[in-house]
Every structure is written in C-alpha cells, then in structure tokens.
C-alpha cells in the first residue's frame, strides 16, 4: 500500500542499463531457440524404406534431409531371400541438381558381388553435398535426386529414387550442434542469474 | 572541530537555498536504479507536497545535483547495479558532487554506515535503511529540511512550510527536465513493445520451421535486434 493506492498484479519495470543486459540475453535466447529448432528439425528426422527386387530385398536408413556442406551417411542392407546364392550389383546414382561426393571406397558402389542364401549385406555410404545457400533454398520441398540402381547381375538394372531431401539451411547439422551448445550455456547462465536475483530479494 | 565548522558552513549554504524557497515547495532528487521503489518514493513525497525529480543512474543524478536544482537528495548507494556489492556510486556522489546540498543515503545494506568509507562524507549526509519503510524515509526528509530551516531562521524557529511541503502550489517542472510526450510514451511503452517484438521473433522462428522456409529466420533475428534497440533508445531518452 503506497499513498493510499495498492499495486495489484505485475508490471514490466521501466528499462534501465541493468535491464538492458537481460533484454539482450532474452533476444539472444529467442534467436538461438529459433535457429536451433529449425536446424534440429532438418537434422534429427530420419526415415527408413524397403524395396523388394526379388530375390533380394534392399532396405535403407537415411536422414530425411541431407545437410549440405556436411558429411552425411546413408545405410543400406541387401538381403537374399532365395534358397540359393545370387550375384547382385547396386550403385548410388545422382540425378539431382546438386553434386554429390561419395566418400565410401571413393566410388558410388553400394555393393557388388555374391550374396549367399538368407545372407544380409550391410553398407554405409558416406556422402558430401557441396552447395551454396541459393542452391539449397531453390531445392526446398524437392527430393535430392539420389537413386539406388541395380539388382541381379543377370537382369536389367532397376533405378529406385531415394526419398530424401536437402535441408534448406546450409550446414544444418553443424548449426544444430553449435546452437544447441550455445543454448544450453545461455539457459544455465539465465537460470543462475535468476537464482541470484531471487536470493537477493529474499535477503 | 574542522569537520563541524565545515558542516555548519554547508548547512548554512543549503539553508540559504531553501530559505529562498519559503512559500514554494522544496524539491528533492530521488535516485535509485530500482524503478518500483523509486516510483513509490516519488508518489509518497509528492503526496507530502514536495517536488520530486527522479534519476535512475549516477550520470543523471550527478547532472541534476551539479545543476543545483534540488534542495535535498535521496541517493541509493548501489546506484548503478543493486546486485553489485562493489558498487558505491551513490556514496561517491554524496562525497564529491554538490556538497552544499544535504543528502540522505538510502540503502538496504546498512553495514555501509559502519564502513570506513563513511569517513570523508560531508556533515550534511545521513543514512536511512530501505527496510525501515517509506514513512521513515519521509520522516528523514522532513527532519533534514527542518534542520536546514532552523539553521537559517534568525530566531531559530522551525518553518512549518518546509516540513509539510506545499501541495497547494502548482507543480512546476524544472527546465531541462521536461520530456516530450512522445519520449515519455516511448519510455513507458518500450518494454511491452520489446516483449511483443520478441514474441513476434519467436513466432517467425516457429513459422520458419512449420513452413520449412528459413528466410523467415531473418525476421526472427531482425525482430529480436529491434527489441534490444528499442530498449536501448528508451534508456538513452530516460
């Protein structure tokens, strides 16, 4: 009660030099949260697919969005479902507008050779997609253009498009990591500051 | 003895200033970085009939004291940052700026009183605890102004007008402290506008994710920076 008037509810105090620091930290927090959520959205999503090319079954596990200018990995398994051994050959083909640099064994072979009955072959293909900011932005909502091509050596090879896209943010993977660390530090800082303030008031 | 003589001279000089205002209200500078407390002090002193000029940082407090526009100053010791234990800005102002103006150091940290830093303060500087409440602060203000009046009155009688203030007198802003309506509006509204901008920044971030359009992140960064700039501008106006 002051001067016959009671202050009810809360209000934001007028800005001071001290509060400017808090406003700056809040603005930084909002920026980091937004950047991290966006980068993480493109980084943590994964998808798996299965294609049956009798007598073999090809399974794939890959990021839903490939991060341009970062190392990425697509994992494949090729399983022979037949009762006898078969010879197969599978390659990763790029028909998209971005280049891809396959890093596994310095070529785009996923697997070529015999597979025994009920045998499963595992291969991880490392990729690097070099791109500029305008290129990745133009590819928003479109598939990256990667295909898995092959099948039995004795048959005509089939080409299957891999349903992964390119993240519209450059180096999304790296950005998610850095923003995550910075955000964690900032949250610790803010909580510590608030804790000190509460302690000060209590005293 | 020298200190007493010096103190007496300072009281006389202050008394001359206040004596010249008999019939007009006494003006008090209230300086504190705690806005809520400052507003409460301002309100209660204005209700008592005093004119109150406020300052939220040492620079404004120095400027106002330096201009000699007030009869008494209520100064917070930690004027720059209430959480900084090393902050003595109010104490330094009390010691160095306008020694003829009596000052009351208002603080939550009364151990300052026993501190050796109290030495070297002019005789017309006194202390009052924030915890003692607003009534005690008002009492200290009245007592200090009354003692100035007593030292100025030829027969040593107390002048009641100084004790009561003069609420009936039309409030008159000191020249140089008038703010344009726009500036005042900006100062008052800037925190809420900054908060809205931060919410918009967050919204732009969410939309960028939902619509998978990272261009919207530029809006996030721009709105957040604008919020900080707005606060900075309002502080500089304040």
């Amino acid at each position: 009660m002051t001067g016959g008037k009671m202050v009810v509810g809360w209000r934001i105090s007028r800005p001071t030099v001290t509060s400017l620091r808090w406003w700056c930290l809040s603005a930084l927090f909002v920026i980091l949260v937004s950047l991290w959520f966006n980068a993480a959205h493109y980084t943590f999503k994964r998808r798996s697919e299965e294609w049956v090319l009798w007598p073999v079954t090809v399974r794939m596990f890959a990021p839903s969005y490939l991060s341009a200018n970062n190392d990425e990995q697509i994992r494949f398994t090729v399983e022979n479902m037949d009762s006898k051994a078969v010879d197969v050959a599978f390659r990763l083909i790029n028909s998209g507008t971005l280049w891809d640099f396959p890093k596994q064994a310095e070529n785009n072979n996923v697997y070529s050779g015999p597979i025994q009955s009920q045998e499963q072959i595992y291969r991880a293909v490392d990729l690097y997609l070099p791109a500029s900011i305008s290129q990745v932005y133009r590819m928003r909502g479109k598939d990256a253009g990667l295909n898995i091509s092959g099948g039995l050596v004795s048959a005509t090879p089939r080409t299957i498009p891999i349903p992964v896209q390119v993240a519209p943010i450059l180096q999304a993977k790296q950005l998610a990591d850095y923003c995550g660390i910075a955000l964690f530090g900032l949250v610790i800082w803010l909580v510590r500051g608030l804790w000190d303030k509460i302690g000060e008031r209590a005293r | 003895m020298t200190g007493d003589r010096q103190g007496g001279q300072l009281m006389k000089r202050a008394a001359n200033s206040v004596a010249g205002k008999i019939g007009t209200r006494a003006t008090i500078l209230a300086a504190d970085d705690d806005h809520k407390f400052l507003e409460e002090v301002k309100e209660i002193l204005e209700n008592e009939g005093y004119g109150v000029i406020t300052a939220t940082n040492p620079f404004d407090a120095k400027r106002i004291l330096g201009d000699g526009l007030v009869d008494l100053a209520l100064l917070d010791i930690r004027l720059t940052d209430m959480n900084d234990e090393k902050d003595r800005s109010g104490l330094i102002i009390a010691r160095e700026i306008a020694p003829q103006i009596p000052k009351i150091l208002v603080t939550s940290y009364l151990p300052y009183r026993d501190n050796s830093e109290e030495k070297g303060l002019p005789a017309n500087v006194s202390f009052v605890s924030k915890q003692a409440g607003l009534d005690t602060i008002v009492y200290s203000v009245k007592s200090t102004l009354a003692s100035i009046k007593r030292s100025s009155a030829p027969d040593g009688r107390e002048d009641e007008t100084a004790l009561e203030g003069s609420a009936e007198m039309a409030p008159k802003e000191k020249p140089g402290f008038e703010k344009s309506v726009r500036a005042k509006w900006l100062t008052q509204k800037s925190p809420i506008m900054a908060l809205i901008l931060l919410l918009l920044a967050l919204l732009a971030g969410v939309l960028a994710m939902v619509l998978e359009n990272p261009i919207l992140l530029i809006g996030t960064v721009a709105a957040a920076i604008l919020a900080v700039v707005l606060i900075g501008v309002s502080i500089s106006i304040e």
Side-chain angles (χ1 to χ4, degrees), chain B residues 137-207:
Chain B
I137 293 171
V138 173
Y139 178 77
S140 298
V141 168
K142 285 181 176 179
S143 306
T144 308
L145 288 173
S147 66
I148 296 167
K149 287 286 172 187
R150 270 199 299 276
S151 63
S152 72
D155 52 0
R157 275 186 312 173
E158 207 170 89
D159 185 343
E160 293 298 322
T161 55
L163 280 171
E164 297 300 328
S166 51
E168 69 282 2
M169 296 297 290
K172 213 165 111 184
E173 285 275 326
K174 296 283 180 186
F177 294 100
E178 284 174 6
K179 279 187 197 166
S180 75
V181 177
R182 279 180 196 163
K184 267 186 180 169
W185 183 86
L186 183 66
T187 309
Q188 283 168 0
K189 302 288 178 192
S190 62
I192 196 78
M193 289 197 294
L195 202 63
I196 290 168
L197 278 170
L198 285 184
L199 288 174
L200 284 175
L202 207 58
L203 182 70
V206 172
L207 281 177

Side-chain angles (χ1 to χ4, degrees), chain A residues 36 175-185:
Chain A
W36 184 77
L175 190 68
D177 289 348
Y178 290 155
C179 284
I181 293 166
L183 193 60
F184 179 74

Side-chain angles (χ1 to χ4, degrees), chain A residues 2-3 5 7 10-21 23-24 26-28 30-31 33-35 37-38 41-42 45 65 137 140-141 165 168-169 197 200 203, chain B residues 33 35-36 39-40 43 47 78 80-83 109 134 187 190-192 194-195 198 201-202 205 208-209 211-215 217 220-221 224 228 231-232 234-235 238:
Chain A
T2 52
K5 273 190 246 171
V7 179
W10 63 277
R11 57 184 171 181
I12 307 169
S13 350
R14 270 157 52 180
T16 59
V17 177
T18 318
S19 72
L20 182 63
R21 191 182 67 176
W23 281 105
C24 288
S26 306
L28 186 63
V30 168
I31 291 171
V33 162
S34 299
L35 285 179
F37 268 106
N38 275 274
H41 170 70
Y42 298 115
K45 261 187 167 175
Y65 299 90
Y137 188 72
R140 242 171 2 111
Q165 297 183 7
I169 300 174
K197 244 181 165 33
E200 189 74 36
R203 275 200 295 278
Chain B
D33 61 334
H35 284 277
K36 197 179 166 204
E39 279 173 16
E40 286 172 0
E43 192 176 356
N47 285 344
R78 293 181 187 177
T80 307
D81 183 355
M82 67 176 89
N83 299 319
Y109 314 96
L134 290 172
T187 309
S190 62
I192 196 78
L195 202 63
L198 285 184
L202 207 58
M209 192 173 72
L211 302 175
E212 296 196 347
N213 191 343
I215 287 287
L217 286 173
T220 300
V221 176
V228 174
I231 293 291
S234 72
I235 288 171
E238 180 89 2

Side-chain angles (χ1 to χ4, degrees), chain A residues 147-164:
Chain A
N147 306 280
I148 177 105
S149 172
L152 293 176
V153 173
S154 54
T156 314
R158 281 182 61 186
T159 300
I160 303 160
I162 297 174
V164 294

